[in-house]
Amino acid sequence: MDFTNSSCGESDHRQIEESKPLLGEMSAPEGGKMGAVPCRRSMLHFNGMRYKLLQEGDIQVCVIRHPRTFLSKILTSKFLRRWEPHHLTLADNSLTSATPTGYMENSMPYSAIEDVQLLSWENAPKYCLQLSFPGGTVLLQAANSYLRDQWFHSLQWKKKIYKYKKVLSNPNRWEVVLKEIRSLVDMALTSPLQDDSIHQAPLEIVSNLLSENINLTTQEHENIIVAIAPLLENNHPPPDLCEFFCKHCRERPRSMVVIEVFTPVVQRILKHNMDFGKCPRLRLFTQEYILALNELNAGMEVVKKFIHSMHGPTANCPHPRVLPNLVAVCLAAIYSCYEEFINSRDNSPSLKEIRNGCQQQCDRKPNIPLRLLHTNPDLVSQEVTSAESRHKPVIVTSNEIHVEVERNNTVNQKLKANTGNDSEPNLIDCLLISPACSTMSIELSPQAERVLECYVEILKILSDYDDWRPALASLLQPIPFPKEALAHETFTKELKYVIQRFAEDPRQEVHSCLLSVRAGKDGWFQLYSPGGVACDDDGELFASMVHILMGSCYKTKKFLLSLAENKLGPCMLLALRGNQTMVEILCLMLEYNIIENNDTQLQIISTLESTDVGKKMYEQLCDRQRELKELQRKGGPTRLTLPSKSTDADLARLLSSGSFGNLENLSLAFTNVTSACAEQLIKLPSLKQLNLWSTQFGDAGLRVLSEHLTALQVLNLCETPVTDAGLLALSSMKSLCSLNMNSTKLSADTYEDLKVSTQDICSSRHLSSRTVQHSTF
């Protein structure tokens, strides 16, 4: 069947399907025929029916050829020709059949379809559509009225979209183009079809139009953006449209279009986007939008209000995707500030190359190695002592990075140990290896400075929200910034506020992110500690981080050991200046026998006795050590039960009354003891069974017990306020045989983890009496 015959004369019964003109059809025909279609459509919309856009389906087809003047006679005839079943596909350009035979031997182009109508005449076939084409009519018969209406709206949509694509592909007058875009948007908004492509197809058409016509005036830019704004409320803009929006943000950041149109679009992107890796241009558009806000008169205050609007007025943000998306935008923007230096260092693809598709390796410049230049040995011998070396600046250019580092033989050995078999050391490793290493001097362009200032300020704003701070700390661990940023004094100085907020937060899930994720991988704690490249406050932030970490770390000995190995000098220096936290750290190192070298121990004692607070704490330490030796003398009972309602003070008074070196079984059940009594319990070297049933013993006490009572075999925690955080510390107690956790706040996951670890211990030692008891969660 041929659907490309020449058009015949106009029929009086033909109904015009378009409610708004396309290019070249700006005037409506005279008479009352134009009003029939809007009435019919309004009636269809009034019933509230919604349809899925059809792409294919089974339907009965009948083709009737006739002169246009006899159409009404044929339609009212009872003797229509035969019907053929076909599986039709609604392609982009035509209506085709899966079995191209009979009536549908040739596909039917949408350009050949003059009209699509519902048949409702008397004696007409039931559930039929009429497709008018030059010289004939195609009747489509569906199984029911719903399918008929679905085919009707889908065919109309495909036909109109095809026309708009054709018309807008060759624009002549932009004022007419603007009217057509508005008509296209209105068609998408009023369509009864419910499908993602209903709103995306017009956006794609406009996106292609803009990509092919780049020389538009600013006013034309704004007019087009305002015209398509209704479609952007519930849809992400396509990539080319994002480029168009980015250009507008850069060229006219103070335009009201940025505030009125782009704001809801960016809010939708931040609330609903799931992966910026698959759509990086959405991230770039968000980045440019925020920079445009920063260019307004109020500047950062406008940005702050925008972020507050994303968080919401309540204490907890109801949108879980907002924070990760904001952090992703910040990281990408900060990375772009150092892009030139990064590319010159490792020849990595630029953001522009990533957006446009990276060029082939053969087309790229050869890698420029990171060179470590040693200074003159004679100059080093004159100016560098065995303990310290002078700081030399690092000179960074846009072509390659030169790092001038002064190191003695000890530093060389450390560097080799840290880098292993790598041919060249890591840049930050060089900067963090010792105070002998110098800082970088990086100069950014004015534009990059503004971008860096804006997005570091956003990270500060994000860290001020209590509900966002745990997730933000997790997203910034491990350190996600490029090495050049960490070596840039301006960046690390501004970011220090964020790290301080982490250090001040009492929640363990926040301040634990200051530590490295694994051994040998530096974290914020190392970066901002004395000797780190970012330290500029003589260790004040370091002291606050140590204080909060010591209060929550259940592996106290391990943490103290790491401080003794890497940060003993800074700890002693701050203690010498009267810092109470560092004085406590040095006392704990002596109490836990962390320091084995006698000379170092004497130096710590001298440091403690040089200040009043240190002298007082050292005297208290000596008193505790004398009491401990007296308490741990052999002798005394093997079993001991405290009366109910006893307190921590009562337990301390009892244990100070004699020797308890033989005590193996201690019951504190139904007493008022708390986690504070753990300091007394760890003085009992032979303790194997401990009953804490119905006490106020909590997580802090469990962390202390897990490190000192290594011989403990039976522990009863029934009806105590312990939680997962404290119970996880028990996994390190290898001698534990029986653990009662009934009526605690233990979660099912932690219970299973403890059960598995206990079974592993049983199998390794061939013991069958070890049990983990837990009846309620």
Side-chain angles (χ1 to χ4, degrees):
M1 175 181 172
D2 187 8
F3 293 99
T4 59
N5 295 339
S6 59
S7 177
C8 299
E10 292 295 328
S11 172
D12 294 337
H13 298 281
R14 181 186 177 193
Q15 294 182 354
I16 301 175
E17 64 171 327
E18 304 294 343
S19 61
K20 292 190 178 181
L22 293 169
L23 290 178
E25 301 177 0
M26 297 302 296
S27 59
E30 296 180 358
K33 301 174 186 177
M34 189 64 184
V37 174
C39 294
R40 176 166 52 98
R41 286 181 177 171
S42 61
M43 189 165 56
L44 287 172
H45 295 331
F46 182 77
N47 60 20
M49 296 294 290
R50 293 294 182 265
Y51 307 92
K52 181 75 174 176
L53 178 64
L54 278 176
Q55 301 296 337
E56 57 182 344
D58 296 322
I59 199 165
Q60 298 287 329
V61 180
C62 179
V63 176
I64 304 172
R65 292 185 177 277
H66 57 82
R68 300 298 295 266
T69 55
F70 300 112
L71 174 59
S72 58
K73 294 182 179 180
I74 296 176
L75 291 178
T76 56
S77 173
K78 295 183 179 180
F79 305 101
L80 293 176
R81 300 179 62 185
R82 61 185 176 85
W83 294 85
E84 293 180 354
H86 283 275
H87 185 83
L88 300 184
T89 301
L90 283 75
D92 292 336
N93 302 322
S94 61
L95 184 65
T96 61
S97 173
T99 56
T101 58
Y103 295 141
M104 298 301 298
E105 182 177 1
N106 299 316
S107 61
M108 181 186 298
Y110 295 135
S111 58
I113 301 177
E114 296 177 345
D115 195 13
V116 180
Q117 296 182 10
L118 296 174
L119 289 189
S120 57
W121 285 268
E122 186 180 357
N123 298 327
K126 211 172 184 181
Y127 312 134
C128 274
L129 297 177
Q130 172 191 325
L131 309 183
S132 301
F133 66 95
T137 299
V138 177
L139 299 181
L140 302 180
Q141 187 175 38
N144 52 57
S145 60
Y146 182 85
L147 285 177
R148 176 201 61 190
D149 293 344
Q150 189 177 18
W151 275 96
F152 171 74
H153 293 297
S154 299
L155 281 168
Q156 276 198 328
W157 173 261
K158 289 286 186 177
K159 182 178 182 298
K160 293 176 183 178
I161 284 295
Y162 172 78
K163 285 187 176 181
Y164 277 109
K165 285 182 180 179
K166 186 176 179 180
V167 168
L168 294 177
S169 62
N170 297 307
N172 294 322
R173 298 167 54 197
W174 280 99
E175 62 273 12
V176 179
V177 169
L178 186 61
K179 293 181 180 179
E180 296 301 333
I181 292 176
R182 290 170 180 165
S183 176
L184 174 63
V185 171
D186 182 68
M187 181 189 72
L189 294 177
T190 57
S191 173
L193 295 172
Q194 284 187 329
D195 194 88
D196 293 338
S197 62
I198 298 302
H199 289 173
Q200 283 295 329
L203 291 176
E204 292 287 349
I205 293 174
V206 176
S207 178
N208 293 334
L209 173 68
L210 295 174
S211 63
E212 296 173 359
N213 299 270
I214 59 177
N215 297 322
L216 300 179
T217 65
T218 303
Q219 188 60 43
E220 290 170 346
H221 273 205
E222 293 194 357
N223 291 337
I224 293 176
I225 292 173
V226 172
I228 64 175
L231 292 180
L232 297 173
E233 294 180 1
N234 298 311
N235 298 274
H236 290 339
D240 291 338
L241 205 56
C242 285
E243 290 285 350
F244 175 70
F245 291 167
C246 289
K247 181 180 179 182
H248 188 79
C249 288
R250 287 190 294 265
E251 294 179 353
R252 295 202 63 190
R254 296 174 179 266
S255 169
M256 289 305 297
V257 169
V258 174
I259 300 294
E260 297 176 355
V261 179
F262 289 167
T263 297
V265 179
V266 174
Q267 287 177 336
R268 174 179 171 80
I269 291 173
L270 292 176
K271 289 179 181 179
H272 300 285
N273 179 64
M274 299 300 294
D275 189 1
F276 274 132
K278 295 180 180 178
C279 40
R281 296 189 184 182
L282 290 179
R283 179 177 58 197
L284 181 63
F285 167 51
T286 305
Q287 176 181 331
E288 295 291 346
Y289 166 79
I290 294 176
L291 291 176
L293 294 184
N294 194 39
E295 293 293 328
L296 299 177
N297 292 334
M300 189 49 63
E301 285 299 319
V302 179
V303 176
K304 188 173 182 178
K305 290 181 180 178
F306 170 74
I307 294 176
H308 180 71
S309 69
M310 297 304 305
H311 178 275
T314 60
N316 294 314
C317 177
H319 307 288
R321 292 299 309 170
V322 168
L323 178 65
N325 288 334
L326 279 173
V327 173
V329 171
C330 291
L331 295 180
I334 293 173
Y335 182 96
S336 67
C337 296
Y338 301 92
E339 185 178 5
E340 182 179 3
F341 302 106
I342 296 171
N343 293 339
S344 63
R345 168 171 53 84
D346 57 8
N347 204 27
S348 60
S350 65
L351 293 180
K352 184 176 181 181
E353 290 173 343
I354 293 174
R355 291 194 299 268
N356 299 332
C358 292
Q359 54 183 316
Q360 297 296 326
Q361 185 66 27
C362 58
D363 297 333
R364 298 179 61 82
K365 297 183 293 185
N367 289 338
I368 299 176
L370 174 67
R371 302 192 301 177
L372 301 178
L373 304 181
H374 296 270
T375 56
N376 192 321
D378 297 333
L379 183 61
V380 174
S381 62
Q382 295 174 7
E383 298 184 356
V384 181
T385 63
S386 60
E388 297 179 351
S389 61
R390 284 182 53 191
H391 293 260
K392 292 289 184 179
V394 178
I395 305 171
V396 182
T397 67
S398 61
N399 295 325
E400 57 183 346
I401 298 177
H402 305 276
V403 183
E404 299 181 12
V405 183
E406 298 176 0
R407 297 168 295 176
N408 52 26
N409 292 334
T410 303
V411 175
N412 275 324
Q413 293 175 1
K414 286 185 178 181
L415 191 56
K416 291 178 180 178
N418 288 338
T419 56
N421 297 327
D422 294 342
S423 58
E424 293 195 28
N426 183 286
L427 174 60
I428 296 302
D429 291 339
C430 296
L431 293 170
L432 298 179
I433 190 64
S434 73
C437 301
S438 53
T439 58
M440 276 183 142
S441 176
I442 296 180
E443 293 186 4
L444 300 179
S445 65
Q447 175 61 21
E449 287 282 358
R450 288 194 294 270
V451 173
L452 181 66
E453 179 183 359
C454 174
Y455 282 97
V456 174
E457 191 66 29
I458 290 176
L459 290 177
K460 293 181 183 180
I461 297 172
L462 297 180
S463 67
D464 286 334
Y465 289 94
D466 290 338
D467 60 318
W468 275 355
R469 202 173 299 130
L472 178 62
S474 177
L475 290 170
L476 297 185
Q477 186 197 37
I479 299 176
F481 301 103
K483 303 167 185 178
E484 287 73 13
L486 300 179
H488 188 196
E489 182 180 0
T490 302
F491 173 75
T492 54
K493 185 176 181 179
E494 293 297 322
L495 194 66
K496 182 180 176 182
Y497 177 85
V498 179
I499 308 306
Q500 286 176 329
R501 298 293 286 162
F502 293 164
E504 295 168 358
D505 197 290
R507 291 168 291 186
Q508 184 179 6
E509 63 267 28
V510 178
H511 55 248
S512 62
C513 292
L514 297 171
L515 298 172
S516 57
V517 293
R518 61 180 183 273
K521 182 71 173 179
D522 290 322
W524 298 113
F525 178 76
Q526 290 81 6
L527 191 69
Y528 281 90
S529 62
V533 65
C535 181
D536 61 351
D537 58 0
D538 294 330
E540 294 181 6
L541 178 58
F542 170 70
S544 63
M545 288 192 291
V546 170
H547 176 74
I548 192 69
L549 289 171
M550 279 296 298
S552 64
C553 182
Y554 64 87
K555 295 184 179 179
T556 307
K557 283 187 177 180
K558 184 177 180 180
F559 184 63
L560 289 174
L561 185 61
S562 66
L563 288 178
E565 291 177 350
N566 303 311
K567 301 297 177 185
L568 182 58
C571 290
M572 294 176 63
L573 177 61
L574 294 176
L576 190 62
R577 295 175 178 175
N579 187 282
Q580 185 171 352
T581 299
M582 292 299 113
V583 171
E584 294 176 357
I585 291 296
L586 294 182
C587 289
L588 288 173
M589 288 182 180
L590 294 176
E591 185 174 2
Y592 291 169
N593 295 320
I594 299 297
I595 307 299
E596 298 180 356
N597 186 278
N598 292 333
D599 291 336
T600 305
Q601 290 181 355
L602 293 175
Q603 186 177 356
I604 291 176
I605 294 173
S606 300
T607 302
L608 292 173
E609 292 181 337
S610 62
T611 60
D612 293 338
V613 62
K615 185 183 297 184
K616 181 179 179 180
M617 288 189 180
Y618 180 63
E619 291 175 355
Q620 294 174 353
L621 171 62
C622 293
D623 293 340
R624 289 198 304 271
Q625 291 294 330
R626 284 191 292 269
E627 294 176 0
L628 179 62
K629 290 181 180 179
E630 181 68 22
L631 178 65
Q632 292 181 347
R633 287 186 307 171
K634 293 296 181 182
T638 59
R639 300 175 63 89
L640 181 64
T641 300
L642 252 68
S644 62
K645 309 302 180 181
S646 299
T647 63
D648 296 332
D650 296 330
L651 176 63
R653 192 177 300 110
L654 177 62
L655 294 181
S656 63
S657 63
S659 301
F660 291 91
N662 292 338
L663 186 63
E664 296 181 356
N665 189 319
L666 175 61
S667 176
L668 302 176
F670 305 103
T671 63
N672 294 332
V673 297
T674 64
S675 295
C677 74
E679 297 296 334
Q680 303 296 327
L681 298 177
I682 62 177
K683 300 175 182 178
L684 304 173
S686 302
L687 190 63
K688 296 181 180 178
Q689 300 181 28
L690 178 61
N691 189 352
L692 295 168
W693 189 0
S694 190
T695 63
Q696 295 303 310
F697 197 87
D699 294 341
L702 285 183
R703 287 193 286 266
V704 177
L705 296 184
S706 65
E707 288 199 66
H708 296 82
L709 296 184
T710 57
L712 193 64
Q713 297 179 2
V714 179
L715 179 60
N716 189 345
L717 297 173
C718 180
E719 297 181 15
T720 58
V722 295
T723 64
D724 291 351
L727 291 168
L728 283 175
L730 300 179
S731 60
S732 62
M733 302 181 70
K734 305 302 181 183
S735 299
L736 200 59
C737 297
S738 177
L739 176 62
N740 190 337
M741 298 173 290
N742 286 330
S743 300
T744 64
K745 297 180 181 179
L746 175 67
S747 66
D749 293 338
T750 304
Y751 169 69
E752 292 298 331
D753 292 340
L754 287 173
K755 188 175 180 180
V756 171
S757 63
T758 305
Q759 291 173 350
D760 293 341
I761 295 174
C762 293
S763 61
S764 63
R765 297 194 178 188
H766 305 288
L767 296 177
S768 59
S769 62
R770 300 175 184 265
T771 59
V772 177
Q773 301 174 2
H774 186 59
S775 60
T776 59
F777 296 128

